[in-house]
Amino acid sequence: MLLLTLLAACATATHEKGMLYTDFPETKELSASTQVLYTALFRYPFRIRVQGDRAVVMDLHGQETFFHLFHYPDFSYLSSFGKLGDSPEEMLSAENIRWNGQSLWTLDANKSELTRFGFDSSGDSLLRQETVGLDKDILRALDFVTYGDSTFIIPDYSGDSRFCWVNREGKLLRKMGKIPSSNEDALKNARPALAQAWRSFIDYNPENGVLAAVTQLGEVLEIYNLQDSTHVVRIGPHGEPKFQVSQGYGIPTGIMGFSDVQVTDSAVYAVFHGRSFKEIAQNARRGIHVDGGKYIYVFSLTGEPLRRYALDHHVCGISVNEREGIILATDVNKDEPIIKYKMK
């Protein structure tokens, strides 16, 4: 990638489906401190979510369990949950985790289920309390957010729309939005493949009503303000997700884009990779296997580029605490995978 330039001017230009951004007003380099863990638990720690004095880390490829509960901020280990297996009380996969009050929701794409866990009386364990089977009209849910206490928002991978609104019983209520692609041929003839290529990670903040989506491929940010019904699309230098259609599937040909996003009260934070699949394949042939992004992009709640953090680690997931000026992140390449950055 090109060297990052401090205080580079931010430029925008009109695009058929949105606005282009070419750079950020400022770039700051951050150095991490490692959080010492006194137990070896993880194979692929992909997500970290903090609420109060509890933190949960999701292991995407957990051998026995998918989730691990810690006391925060010292990260003393408390318990593990979300057992791997195909029985009714077990999980086949884990896609994401969301706090909602004192409950933690999880998504199992292979079982097409959302599960709510709640604390036991000691507060040291999370126990299964409710399972929601998703409507068969929802095509393989890969991410979700909670909207209030009775609704979920799930990306739509059929290509017919952008999001599905689902009730507490898992029934599809309605669909919203369209894929903001300028690829008119794919929109007309290959929408399922287009939807796969436009797979996005999402987050929602109920305090400001902002729902953000960032593409796993390419460099596209979408911001939906659910309070005033506005929709902003920001497209970076790497453009839309690039892909080829093969037997009905979208095969990526461009870059690995974003891997996590968080909407805070004042901004949108997103982990960005920016490496091409050609580069990734070349590194793999040389025995170099590094996953994660070395940048965190920060946008305003209306999609304006604010700043870019250049990191000294490759990270996959983040948890941003603006009040304390801290970003917690997961580095799947290290034996000590939980790291901390100070923004201030």
Side-chain angles (χ1 to χ4, degrees):
M1 294 184 67
L2 296 175
L3 292 177
L4 304 179
T5 305
L6 292 174
L7 301 178
C10 172
T12 60
T14 301
H15 185 269
E16 183 176 347
K17 294 290 183 178
M19 298 292 289
L20 300 177
Y21 66 87
T22 59
D23 215 329
F24 288 78
E26 62 175 342
T27 296
K28 293 184 178 181
E29 295 185 359
L30 298 182
S31 297
S33 59
T34 300
Q35 176 63 54
V36 177
L37 302 177
Y38 296 98
T39 181
L41 295 169
F42 307 113
R43 292 185 66 194
Y44 199 96
F46 193 58
R47 290 284 179 260
I48 180 168
R49 306 292 185 212
V50 177
Q51 178 164 281
D53 62 353
R54 294 293 185 266
V56 174
V57 178
M58 186 189 92
D59 191 342
L60 193 64
H61 302 311
Q63 287 183 302
E64 296 183 1
T65 57
F66 288 108
F67 314 110
H68 306 283
L69 178 66
F70 297 87
H71 184 270
Y72 180 79
D74 63 342
F75 274 90
S76 55
Y77 171 74
L78 296 175
S79 61
S80 298
F81 60 102
K83 186 177 181 181
L84 172 63
D86 58 6
S87 77
E89 297 295 312
E90 296 174 334
M91 302 180 66
L92 292 175
S93 68
E95 310 302 329
N96 212 336
I97 49 179
R98 303 286 180 187
W99 289 107
N100 188 328
Q102 291 300 303
S103 297
L104 183 83
W105 285 93
T106 70
L107 171 62
D108 182 340
N110 288 343
K111 282 192 170 184
S112 195
E113 289 181 346
L114 289 159
T115 301
R116 182 172 65 87
F117 292 85
F119 286 105
D120 65 359
S121 58
S122 69
D124 293 341
S125 297
L126 282 162
L127 307 177
R128 178 187 290 260
Q129 295 185 336
E130 177 184 359
T131 298
V132 177
L134 296 176
D135 197 313
K136 295 186 183 299
D137 290 334
I138 301 169
L139 182 63
R140 190 167 176 80
L142 293 174
D143 204 351
F144 77 104
V145 294
T146 58
Y147 183 80
D149 293 327
S150 60
T151 307
F152 306 100
I153 302 175
I154 297 172
D156 180 14
Y157 291 105
S158 70
D160 295 334
S161 65
R162 200 69 175 105
F163 298 104
C164 301
W165 290 66
V166 181
N167 68 14
R168 189 67 173 261
E169 287 72 46
K171 301 301 182 183
L172 177 64
L173 298 174
R174 62 186 177 93
K175 293 189 175 185
M176 178 185 82
K178 295 182 179 180
I179 299 173
S181 175
S182 60
N183 188 338
E184 297 296 343
D185 181 65
L187 284 167
K188 183 177 180 180
N189 301 309
R191 283 185 297 176
L194 181 68
Q196 293 167 29
W198 275 75
R199 176 189 176 177
S200 298
F201 300 105
I202 65 175
D203 192 40
Y204 172 68
N205 187 330
E207 297 300 320
N208 49 38
V210 170
L211 171 69
V214 291
T215 54
Q216 186 180 29
L217 308 178
E219 191 175 347
V220 181
L221 162 74
E222 291 177 78
I223 293 178
Y224 297 79
N225 189 313
L226 303 184
Q227 293 180 351
D228 63 15
S229 300
T230 56
H231 177 210
V232 175
V233 181
R234 290 288 182 177
I235 303 172
H238 293 91
E240 294 183 20
K242 297 179 176 62
F243 67 101
Q244 296 176 344
V245 178
S246 176
Q247 297 181 339
Y249 292 94
I251 308 301
T253 60
I255 66 151
M256 183 66 76
F258 297 95
S259 64
D260 200 7
V261 60
Q262 182 176 339
V263 181
T264 67
D265 290 346
S266 64
V268 177
Y269 294 75
V271 177
F272 184 70
H273 295 221
R275 296 194 305 279
S276 69
F277 285 96
K278 180 179 180 180
E279 176 188 348
I280 293 170
Q282 290 173 342
N283 286 339
R285 287 193 291 269
R286 294 197 295 265
I288 302 172
H289 301 280
V290 178
D291 196 8
K294 293 199 73 173
Y295 306 97
I296 296 175
Y297 289 178
V298 186
F299 301 86
S300 73
L301 297 177
T302 56
E304 296 296 330
L306 299 178
R307 73 189 64 87
R308 167 176 44 202
Y309 293 118
L311 312 178
D312 60 346
H313 286 244
H314 289 83
V315 306
C316 286
I318 55 172
S319 176
V320 181
N321 186 324
E322 287 185 317
R323 182 174 58 82
E324 296 182 3
I326 291 173
I327 300 175
L328 295 174
T330 59
D331 181 350
V332 301
N333 310 287
K334 302 294 184 181
D335 292 334
E336 297 287 354
I338 309 301
I339 57 177
K340 180 170 69 174
Y341 290 102
K342 291 185 178 180
M343 294 183 286
K344 297 179 181 179

